[in-house]
mmCIF file of all heavy atoms in Angstrom:
data_model
loop_
_atom_site.group_PDB
_atom_site.id
_atom_site.type_symbol
_atom_site.label_atom_id
_atom_site.label_comp_id
_atom_site.label_asym_id
_atom_site.label_seq_id
_atom_site.Cartn_x
_atom_site.Cartn_y
_atom_site.Cartn_z
ATOM 1 N N PHE A 1 84.245 -57.782 2.874
ATOM 2 C CA PHE A 1 82.963 -57.163 2.515
ATOM 3 C C PHE A 1 83.129 -55.675 2.214
ATOM 4 O O PHE A 1 82.444 -55.131 1.334
ATOM 5 C CB PHE A 1 81.936 -57.374 3.637
ATOM 6 C CG PHE A 1 81.117 -58.610 3.463
ATOM 7 C CD1 PHE A 1 81.575 -59.849 3.904
ATOM 8 C CD2 PHE A 1 79.886 -58.561 2.829
ATOM 9 C CE1 PHE A 1 80.826 -60.996 3.741
ATOM 10 C CE2 PHE A 1 79.125 -59.706 2.656
ATOM 11 C CZ PHE A 1 79.595 -60.929 3.118
ATOM 12 N N PHE A 2 84.026 -55.015 2.936
ATOM 13 C CA PHE A 2 84.268 -53.600 2.696
ATOM 14 C C PHE A 2 84.892 -53.384 1.314
ATOM 15 O O PHE A 2 84.543 -52.434 0.597
ATOM 16 C CB PHE A 2 85.159 -53.025 3.796
ATOM 17 C CG PHE A 2 85.328 -51.533 3.745
ATOM 18 C CD1 PHE A 2 84.230 -50.700 3.649
ATOM 19 C CD2 PHE A 2 86.588 -50.964 3.810
ATOM 20 C CE1 PHE A 2 84.379 -49.315 3.611
ATOM 21 C CE2 PHE A 2 86.751 -49.596 3.772
ATOM 22 C CZ PHE A 2 85.650 -48.760 3.670
ATOM 23 N N ILE A 3 85.799 -54.271 0.923
ATOM 24 C CA ILE A 3 86.406 -54.195 -0.409
ATOM 25 C C ILE A 3 85.342 -54.398 -1.486
ATOM 26 O O ILE A 3 85.307 -53.671 -2.493
ATOM 27 C CB ILE A 3 87.537 -55.237 -0.558
ATOM 28 C CG1 ILE A 3 88.727 -54.856 0.328
ATOM 29 C CG2 ILE A 3 87.990 -55.351 -2.023
ATOM 30 C CD1 ILE A 3 89.795 -55.922 0.444
ATOM 31 N N ILE A 4 84.458 -55.379 -1.281
ATOM 32 C CA ILE A 4 83.368 -55.619 -2.234
ATOM 33 C C ILE A 4 82.475 -54.384 -2.334
ATOM 34 O O ILE A 4 82.081 -53.955 -3.433
ATOM 35 C CB ILE A 4 82.544 -56.859 -1.816
ATOM 36 C CG1 ILE A 4 83.397 -58.128 -1.944
ATOM 37 C CG2 ILE A 4 81.271 -56.985 -2.673
ATOM 38 C CD1 ILE A 4 82.769 -59.359 -1.310
ATOM 39 N N ALA A 5 82.160 -53.789 -1.179
ATOM 40 C CA ALA A 5 81.330 -52.576 -1.158
ATOM 41 C C ALA A 5 82.001 -51.441 -1.938
ATOM 42 O O ALA A 5 81.342 -50.739 -2.719
ATOM 43 C CB ALA A 5 81.066 -52.149 0.286
ATOM 44 N N LEU A 6 83.301 -51.267 -1.747
ATOM 45 C CA LEU A 6 84.039 -50.224 -2.465
ATOM 46 C C LEU A 6 84.007 -50.453 -3.971
ATOM 47 O O LEU A 6 83.892 -49.509 -4.759
ATOM 48 C CB LEU A 6 85.488 -50.163 -1.974
ATOM 49 C CG LEU A 6 85.724 -49.509 -0.614
ATOM 50 C CD1 LEU A 6 87.175 -49.674 -0.181
ATOM 51 C CD2 LEU A 6 85.360 -48.022 -0.659
ATOM 52 N N LEU A 7 84.097 -51.722 -4.373
ATOM 53 C CA LEU A 7 84.020 -52.040 -5.805
ATOM 54 C C LEU A 7 82.665 -51.638 -6.375
ATOM 55 O O LEU A 7 82.589 -51.051 -7.465
ATOM 56 C CB LEU A 7 84.272 -53.537 -6.032
ATOM 57 C CG LEU A 7 85.723 -53.996 -5.910
ATOM 58 C CD1 LEU A 7 85.814 -55.520 -5.997
ATOM 59 C CD2 LEU A 7 86.584 -53.373 -7.005
ATOM 60 N N PHE A 8 81.587 -51.931 -5.639
ATOM 61 C CA PHE A 8 80.252 -51.525 -6.086
ATOM 62 C C PHE A 8 80.179 -50.001 -6.226
ATOM 63 O O PHE A 8 79.579 -49.478 -7.165
ATOM 64 C CB PHE A 8 79.175 -52.009 -5.105
ATOM 65 C CG PHE A 8 78.846 -53.464 -5.228
ATOM 66 C CD1 PHE A 8 78.657 -54.241 -4.086
ATOM 67 C CD2 PHE A 8 78.706 -54.074 -6.465
ATOM 68 C CE1 PHE A 8 78.342 -55.591 -4.181
ATOM 69 C CE2 PHE A 8 78.395 -55.424 -6.573
ATOM 70 C CZ PHE A 8 78.210 -56.183 -5.431
ATOM 71 N N ARG A 9 80.772 -49.302 -5.259
ATOM 72 C CA ARG A 9 80.744 -47.837 -5.294
ATOM 73 C C ARG A 9 81.462 -47.300 -6.525
ATOM 74 O O ARG A 9 80.976 -46.387 -7.200
ATOM 75 C CB ARG A 9 81.400 -47.275 -4.031
ATOM 76 C CG ARG A 9 81.296 -45.765 -3.899
ATOM 77 C CD ARG A 9 82.083 -45.268 -2.699
ATOM 78 N NE ARG A 9 81.822 -43.866 -2.435
ATOM 79 C CZ ARG A 9 82.376 -42.858 -3.101
ATOM 80 N NH1 ARG A 9 83.241 -43.113 -4.089
ATOM 81 N NH2 ARG A 9 82.084 -41.606 -2.800
ATOM 82 N N GLN A 10 82.638 -47.847 -6.821
ATOM 83 C CA GLN A 10 83.449 -47.318 -7.916
ATOM 84 C C GLN A 10 82.952 -47.759 -9.296
ATOM 85 O O GLN A 10 83.072 -47.011 -10.257
ATOM 86 C CB GLN A 10 84.910 -47.717 -7.716
ATOM 87 C CG GLN A 10 85.541 -47.117 -6.475
ATOM 88 C CD GLN A 10 85.296 -45.618 -6.356
ATOM 89 O OE1 GLN A 10 84.405 -45.197 -5.626
ATOM 90 N NE2 GLN A 10 86.060 -44.830 -7.070
ATOM 91 N N LEU A 11 82.419 -48.972 -9.382
ATOM 92 C CA LEU A 11 81.889 -49.434 -10.674
ATOM 93 C C LEU A 11 80.734 -48.558 -11.134
ATOM 94 O O LEU A 11 80.502 -48.391 -12.328
ATOM 95 C CB LEU A 11 81.450 -50.900 -10.570
ATOM 96 C CG LEU A 11 82.571 -51.928 -10.461
ATOM 97 C CD1 LEU A 11 81.997 -53.329 -10.257
ATOM 98 C CD2 LEU A 11 83.455 -51.910 -11.708
ATOM 99 N N ASP A 12 80.016 -47.985 -10.164
ATOM 100 C CA ASP A 12 78.904 -47.089 -10.499
ATOM 101 C C ASP A 12 79.393 -45.905 -11.325
ATOM 102 O O ASP A 12 78.673 -45.404 -12.183
ATOM 103 C CB ASP A 12 78.250 -46.592 -9.206
ATOM 104 C CG ASP A 12 77.045 -45.713 -9.482
ATOM 105 O OD1 ASP A 12 75.950 -46.269 -9.678
ATOM 106 O OD2 ASP A 12 77.196 -44.474 -9.511
ATOM 107 N N LEU A 13 80.601 -45.464 -11.073
ATOM 108 C CA LEU A 13 81.140 -44.281 -11.740
ATOM 109 C C LEU A 13 81.652 -44.576 -13.148
ATOM 110 O O LEU A 13 81.804 -43.663 -13.948
ATOM 111 C CB LEU A 13 82.277 -43.678 -10.900
ATOM 112 C CG LEU A 13 81.928 -43.264 -9.465
ATOM 113 C CD1 LEU A 13 83.174 -42.798 -8.738
ATOM 114 C CD2 LEU A 13 80.881 -42.174 -9.459
ATOM 115 N N ILE A 14 81.926 -45.832 -13.460
ATOM 116 C CA ILE A 14 82.563 -46.136 -14.757
ATOM 117 C C ILE A 14 81.756 -47.087 -15.645
ATOM 118 O O ILE A 14 82.097 -47.264 -16.799
ATOM 119 C CB ILE A 14 83.979 -46.730 -14.542
ATOM 120 C CG1 ILE A 14 83.929 -48.013 -13.713
ATOM 121 C CG2 ILE A 14 84.894 -45.706 -13.875
ATOM 122 C CD1 ILE A 14 85.295 -48.671 -13.511
ATOM 123 N N TRP A 15 80.659 -47.661 -15.128
ATOM 124 C CA TRP A 15 79.872 -48.627 -15.894
ATOM 125 C C TRP A 15 78.448 -48.150 -16.193
ATOM 126 O O TRP A 15 77.531 -48.952 -16.311
ATOM 127 C CB TRP A 15 79.803 -49.959 -15.137
ATOM 128 C CG TRP A 15 81.004 -50.821 -15.365
ATOM 129 C CD1 TRP A 15 82.168 -50.482 -15.987
ATOM 130 C CD2 TRP A 15 81.160 -52.186 -14.962
ATOM 131 N NE1 TRP A 15 83.046 -51.517 -15.984
ATOM 132 C CE2 TRP A 15 82.459 -52.590 -15.366
ATOM 133 C CE3 TRP A 15 80.348 -53.095 -14.285
ATOM 134 C CZ2 TRP A 15 82.939 -53.868 -15.129
ATOM 135 C CZ3 TRP A 15 80.838 -54.367 -14.045
ATOM 136 C CH2 TRP A 15 82.113 -54.770 -14.466
ATOM 137 N N CYS A 16 78.258 -46.840 -16.277
ATOM 138 C CA CYS A 16 76.905 -46.313 -16.500
ATOM 139 C C CYS A 16 76.292 -46.822 -17.805
ATOM 140 O O CYS A 16 75.083 -47.068 -17.874
ATOM 141 C CB CYS A 16 76.919 -44.790 -16.504
ATOM 142 S SG CYS A 16 77.095 -44.088 -14.849
ATOM 143 N N LYS A 17 77.100 -46.974 -18.839
ATOM 144 C CA LYS A 17 76.563 -47.447 -20.124
ATOM 145 C C LYS A 17 76.124 -48.899 -20.034
ATOM 146 O O LYS A 17 75.126 -49.305 -20.621
ATOM 147 C CB LYS A 17 77.619 -47.282 -21.215
ATOM 148 C CG LYS A 17 77.862 -45.834 -21.609
ATOM 149 C CD LYS A 17 78.864 -45.732 -22.761
ATOM 150 C CE LYS A 17 79.068 -44.275 -23.154
ATOM 151 N NZ LYS A 17 80.055 -44.142 -24.263
ATOM 152 N N GLN A 18 76.893 -49.704 -19.298
ATOM 153 C CA GLN A 18 76.572 -51.125 -19.158
ATOM 154 C C GLN A 18 75.416 -51.345 -18.173
ATOM 155 O O GLN A 18 74.584 -52.221 -18.376
ATOM 156 C CB GLN A 18 77.814 -51.905 -18.689
ATOM 157 C CG GLN A 18 78.943 -51.955 -19.713
ATOM 158 C CD GLN A 18 79.862 -50.740 -19.638
ATOM 159 O OE1 GLN A 18 79.549 -49.739 -18.991
ATOM 160 N NE2 GLN A 18 81.006 -50.825 -20.316
ATOM 161 N N ILE A 19 75.383 -50.564 -17.086
ATOM 162 C CA ILE A 19 74.340 -50.705 -16.057
ATOM 163 C C ILE A 19 73.759 -49.310 -15.804
ATOM 164 O O ILE A 19 74.227 -48.587 -14.928
ATOM 165 C CB ILE A 19 74.917 -51.287 -14.741
ATOM 166 C CG1 ILE A 19 75.758 -52.536 -15.023
ATOM 167 C CG2 ILE A 19 73.798 -51.607 -13.756
ATOM 168 C CD1 ILE A 19 76.475 -53.084 -13.818
ATOM 169 N N PRO A 20 72.733 -48.923 -16.555
ATOM 170 C CA PRO A 20 72.220 -47.546 -16.489
ATOM 171 C C PRO A 20 71.803 -47.083 -15.099
ATOM 172 O O PRO A 20 71.981 -45.907 -14.755
ATOM 173 C CB PRO A 20 71.015 -47.586 -17.448
ATOM 174 C CG PRO A 20 71.300 -48.711 -18.371
ATOM 175 C CD PRO A 20 72.033 -49.727 -17.551
ATOM 176 N N PHE A 21 71.234 -47.974 -14.275
ATOM 177 C CA PHE A 21 70.795 -47.568 -12.934
ATOM 178 C C PHE A 21 71.925 -47.654 -11.917
ATOM 179 O O PHE A 21 71.759 -47.311 -10.747
ATOM 180 C CB PHE A 21 69.598 -48.408 -12.473
ATOM 181 C CG PHE A 21 69.801 -49.895 -12.602
ATOM 182 C CD1 PHE A 21 70.455 -50.597 -11.617
ATOM 183 C CD2 PHE A 21 69.335 -50.577 -13.720
ATOM 184 C CE1 PHE A 21 70.660 -51.956 -11.727
ATOM 185 C CE2 PHE A 21 69.533 -51.951 -13.839
ATOM 186 C CZ PHE A 21 70.197 -52.637 -12.847
ATOM 187 N N GLY A 22 73.097 -48.133 -12.342
ATOM 188 C CA GLY A 22 74.282 -48.101 -11.500
ATOM 189 C C GLY A 22 74.371 -49.199 -10.453
ATOM 190 O O GLY A 22 73.505 -50.072 -10.357
ATOM 191 N N THR A 23 75.442 -49.132 -9.678
ATOM 192 C CA THR A 23 75.691 -50.127 -8.617
ATOM 193 C C THR A 23 75.875 -49.466 -7.254
ATOM 194 O O THR A 23 76.212 -50.138 -6.285
ATOM 195 C CB THR A 23 76.963 -50.952 -8.945
ATOM 196 O OG1 THR A 23 78.087 -50.060 -9.088
ATOM 197 C CG2 THR A 23 76.794 -51.753 -10.226
ATOM 198 N N HIS A 24 75.648 -48.162 -7.178
ATOM 199 C CA HIS A 24 75.882 -47.463 -5.909
ATOM 200 C C HIS A 24 74.954 -47.963 -4.805
ATOM 201 O O HIS A 24 75.349 -48.020 -3.637
ATOM 202 C CB HIS A 24 75.712 -45.952 -6.095
ATOM 203 C CG HIS A 24 76.241 -45.150 -4.947
ATOM 204 N ND1 HIS A 24 77.569 -44.790 -4.835
ATOM 205 C CD2 HIS A 24 75.624 -44.648 -3.845
ATOM 206 C CE1 HIS A 24 77.753 -44.101 -3.709
ATOM 207 N NE2 HIS A 24 76.585 -44.002 -3.089
ATOM 208 N N PHE A 25 73.740 -48.340 -5.182
ATOM 209 C CA PHE A 25 72.798 -48.848 -4.175
ATOM 210 C C PHE A 25 73.311 -50.130 -3.527
ATOM 211 O O PHE A 25 73.026 -50.422 -2.360
ATOM 212 C CB PHE A 25 71.402 -49.068 -4.784
ATOM 213 C CG PHE A 25 71.295 -50.253 -5.706
ATOM 214 C CD1 PHE A 25 70.766 -51.450 -5.254
ATOM 215 C CD2 PHE A 25 71.723 -50.170 -7.021
ATOM 216 C CE1 PHE A 25 70.655 -52.554 -6.090
ATOM 217 C CE2 PHE A 25 71.617 -51.262 -7.874
ATOM 218 C CZ PHE A 25 71.085 -52.457 -7.409
ATOM 219 N N LEU A 26 74.130 -50.896 -4.272
ATOM 220 C CA LEU A 26 74.729 -52.119 -3.727
ATOM 221 C C LEU A 26 75.828 -51.785 -2.719
ATOM 222 O O LEU A 26 76.081 -52.560 -1.797
ATOM 223 C CB LEU A 26 75.276 -52.995 -4.855
ATOM 224 C CG LEU A 26 74.227 -53.579 -5.804
ATOM 225 C CD1 LEU A 26 74.900 -54.270 -6.997
ATOM 226 C CD2 LEU A 26 73.314 -54.554 -5.071
ATOM 227 N N TRP A 27 76.475 -50.643 -2.906
ATOM 228 C CA TRP A 27 77.435 -50.128 -1.907
ATOM 229 C C TRP A 27 76.723 -49.904 -0.579
ATOM 230 O O TRP A 27 77.217 -50.264 0.475
ATOM 231 C CB TRP A 27 78.067 -48.858 -2.450
ATOM 232 C CG TRP A 27 78.519 -47.795 -1.502
ATOM 233 C CD1 TRP A 27 77.843 -46.645 -1.194
ATOM 234 C CD2 TRP A 27 79.761 -47.727 -0.766
ATOM 235 N NE1 TRP A 27 78.580 -45.870 -0.313
ATOM 236 C CE2 TRP A 27 79.758 -46.505 -0.037
ATOM 237 C CE3 TRP A 27 80.859 -48.567 -0.652
ATOM 238 C CZ2 TRP A 27 80.811 -46.111 0.787
ATOM 239 C CZ3 TRP A 27 81.917 -48.189 0.178
ATOM 240 C CH2 TRP A 27 81.890 -46.983 0.882
ATOM 241 N N HIS A 28 75.520 -49.326 -0.641
ATOM 242 C CA HIS A 28 74.734 -49.102 0.577
ATOM 243 C C HIS A 28 74.353 -50.422 1.246
ATOM 244 O O HIS A 28 74.514 -50.581 2.459
ATOM 245 C CB HIS A 28 73.452 -48.328 0.249
ATOM 246 C CG HIS A 28 73.690 -46.934 -0.218
ATOM 247 N ND1 HIS A 28 72.773 -46.226 -0.969
ATOM 248 C CD2 HIS A 28 74.756 -46.098 -0.046
ATOM 249 C CE1 HIS A 28 73.253 -45.035 -1.226
ATOM 250 N NE2 HIS A 28 74.457 -44.929 -0.691
ATOM 251 N N ILE A 29 73.850 -51.351 0.463
ATOM 252 C CA ILE A 29 73.378 -52.622 1.016
ATOM 253 C C ILE A 29 74.538 -53.410 1.632
ATOM 254 O O ILE A 29 74.440 -53.909 2.763
ATOM 255 C CB ILE A 29 72.671 -53.457 -0.074
ATOM 256 C CG1 ILE A 29 71.370 -52.755 -0.505
ATOM 257 C CG2 ILE A 29 72.370 -54.872 0.415
ATOM 258 C CD1 ILE A 29 70.723 -53.351 -1.733
ATOM 259 N N THR A 30 75.643 -53.521 0.891
ATOM 260 C CA THR A 30 76.811 -54.274 1.385
ATOM 261 C C THR A 30 77.394 -53.620 2.630
ATOM 262 O O THR A 30 77.768 -54.297 3.591
ATOM 263 C CB THR A 30 77.893 -54.376 0.288
ATOM 264 O OG1 THR A 30 77.305 -54.806 -0.927
ATOM 265 C CG2 THR A 30 78.984 -55.372 0.690
ATOM 266 N N ASN A 31 77.456 -52.292 2.627
ATOM 267 C CA ASN A 31 78.001 -51.568 3.780
ATOM 268 C C ASN A 31 77.131 -51.717 5.014
ATOM 269 O O ASN A 31 77.633 -51.811 6.138
ATOM 270 C CB ASN A 31 78.161 -50.084 3.446
ATOM 271 C CG ASN A 31 79.614 -49.706 3.252
ATOM 272 O OD1 ASN A 31 80.517 -50.474 3.554
ATOM 273 N ND2 ASN A 31 79.849 -48.524 2.743
ATOM 274 N N SER A 32 75.811 -51.720 4.829
ATOM 275 C CA SER A 32 74.916 -51.864 5.979
ATOM 276 C C SER A 32 75.073 -53.233 6.633
ATOM 277 O O SER A 32 75.080 -53.352 7.863
ATOM 278 C CB SER A 32 73.459 -51.635 5.563
ATOM 279 O OG SER A 32 73.039 -52.600 4.618
ATOM 280 N N ILE A 33 75.233 -54.262 5.809
ATOM 281 C CA ILE A 33 75.463 -55.615 6.331
ATOM 282 C C ILE A 33 76.810 -55.684 7.056
ATOM 283 O O ILE A 33 76.920 -56.248 8.152
ATOM 284 C CB ILE A 33 75.410 -56.648 5.191
ATOM 285 C CG1 ILE A 33 73.992 -56.707 4.594
ATOM 286 C CG2 ILE A 33 75.847 -58.031 5.673
ATOM 287 C CD1 ILE A 33 73.896 -57.479 3.297
ATOM 288 N N THR A 34 77.831 -55.074 6.448
ATOM 289 C CA THR A 34 79.173 -55.056 7.044
ATOM 290 C C THR A 34 79.165 -54.333 8.390
ATOM 291 O O THR A 34 79.744 -54.803 9.375
ATOM 292 C CB THR A 34 80.174 -54.372 6.091
ATOM 293 O OG1 THR A 34 80.107 -54.993 4.806
ATOM 294 C CG2 THR A 34 81.593 -54.472 6.624
ATOM 295 N N ALA A 35 78.488 -53.185 8.438
ATOM 296 C CA ALA A 35 78.418 -52.405 9.681
ATOM 297 C C ALA A 35 77.671 -53.173 10.769
ATOM 298 O O ALA A 35 78.079 -53.174 11.938
ATOM 299 C CB ALA A 35 77.741 -51.064 9.413
ATOM 300 N N GLY A 36 76.573 -53.824 10.393
ATOM 301 C CA GLY A 36 75.823 -54.631 11.359
ATOM 302 C C GLY A 36 76.664 -55.761 11.922
ATOM 303 O O GLY A 36 76.657 -56.024 13.135
ATOM 304 N N PHE A 37 77.421 -56.425 11.037
ATOM 305 C CA PHE A 37 78.303 -57.517 11.464
ATOM 306 C C PHE A 37 79.386 -56.988 12.401
ATOM 307 O O PHE A 37 79.743 -57.634 13.392
ATOM 308 C CB PHE A 37 78.917 -58.184 10.239
ATOM 309 C CG PHE A 37 79.755 -59.398 10.550
ATOM 310 C CD1 PHE A 37 79.209 -60.499 11.189
ATOM 311 C CD2 PHE A 37 81.095 -59.440 10.189
ATOM 312 C CE1 PHE A 37 79.982 -61.621 11.478
ATOM 313 C CE2 PHE A 37 81.871 -60.557 10.470
ATOM 314 C CZ PHE A 37 81.310 -61.648 11.114
ATOM 315 N N ALA A 38 79.895 -55.794 12.103
ATOM 316 C CA ALA A 38 80.932 -55.176 12.948
ATOM 317 C C ALA A 38 80.411 -54.934 14.359
ATOM 318 O O ALA A 38 81.115 -55.184 15.344
ATOM 319 C CB ALA A 38 81.398 -53.865 12.318
ATOM 320 N N ILE A 39 79.180 -54.456 14.461
ATOM 321 C CA ILE A 39 78.572 -54.217 15.780
ATOM 322 C C ILE A 39 78.401 -55.532 16.541
ATOM 323 O O ILE A 39 78.669 -55.609 17.746
ATOM 324 C CB ILE A 39 77.216 -53.494 15.622
ATOM 325 C CG1 ILE A 39 77.437 -52.084 15.065
ATOM 326 C CG2 ILE A 39 76.483 -53.425 16.967
ATOM 327 C CD1 ILE A 39 76.166 -51.379 14.619
ATOM 328 N N ILE A 40 77.973 -56.571 15.841
ATOM 329 C CA ILE A 40 77.787 -57.887 16.464
ATOM 330 C C ILE A 40 79.112 -58.425 16.998
ATOM 331 O O ILE A 40 79.189 -58.954 18.112
ATOM 332 C CB ILE A 40 77.167 -58.882 15.455
ATOM 333 C CG1 ILE A 40 75.714 -58.480 15.151
ATOM 334 C CG2 ILE A 40 77.220 -60.313 15.987
ATOM 335 C CD1 ILE A 40 75.100 -59.221 13.977
ATOM 336 N N ILE A 41 80.174 -58.264 16.217
ATOM 337 C CA ILE A 41 81.499 -58.744 16.632
ATOM 338 C C ILE A 41 81.938 -58.074 17.936
ATOM 339 O O ILE A 41 82.426 -58.728 18.856
ATOM 340 C CB ILE A 41 82.539 -58.475 15.516
ATOM 341 C CG1 ILE A 41 82.349 -59.459 14.373
ATOM 342 C CG2 ILE A 41 83.965 -58.578 16.074
ATOM 343 C CD1 ILE A 41 83.192 -59.148 13.169
ATOM 344 N N LEU A 42 81.755 -56.773 18.013
ATOM 345 C CA LEU A 42 82.175 -56.042 19.206
ATOM 346 C C LEU A 42 81.377 -56.462 20.435
ATOM 347 O O LEU A 42 81.874 -56.386 21.555
ATOM 348 C CB LEU A 42 82.015 -54.529 18.987
ATOM 349 C CG LEU A 42 83.002 -53.876 18.032
ATOM 350 C CD1 LEU A 42 82.706 -52.383 17.930
ATOM 351 C CD2 LEU A 42 84.453 -54.084 18.477
#
């Protein structure tokens, strides 16, 4: 999930023409789910 989140973060920087509003917000959403799961595991 962290790798997927990183991809969303980086695609935002290079795909602005294809996706004008970007994918950075998906980095936030994926990371929040990942962090929540991490807390549950511990």
Side-chain angles (χ1 to χ4, degrees):
F1 269 85
F2 188 50
I3 291 170
I4 293 169
L6 285 173
L7 285 173
F8 283 138
R9 186 186 189 281
Q10 296 311 99
L11 288 176
D12 183 85
L13 302 175
I14 59 178
W15 277 10
C16 285
K17 288 183 179 179
Q18 293 86 347
I19 311 174
F21 51 84
T23 58
H24 194 85
F25 73 99
L26 294 172
W27 150 260
H28 294 158
I29 293 170
T30 311
N31 253 349
S32 62
I33 295 168
T34 307
F37 185 60
I39 294 169
I40 291 169
I41 285 172
L42 288 180

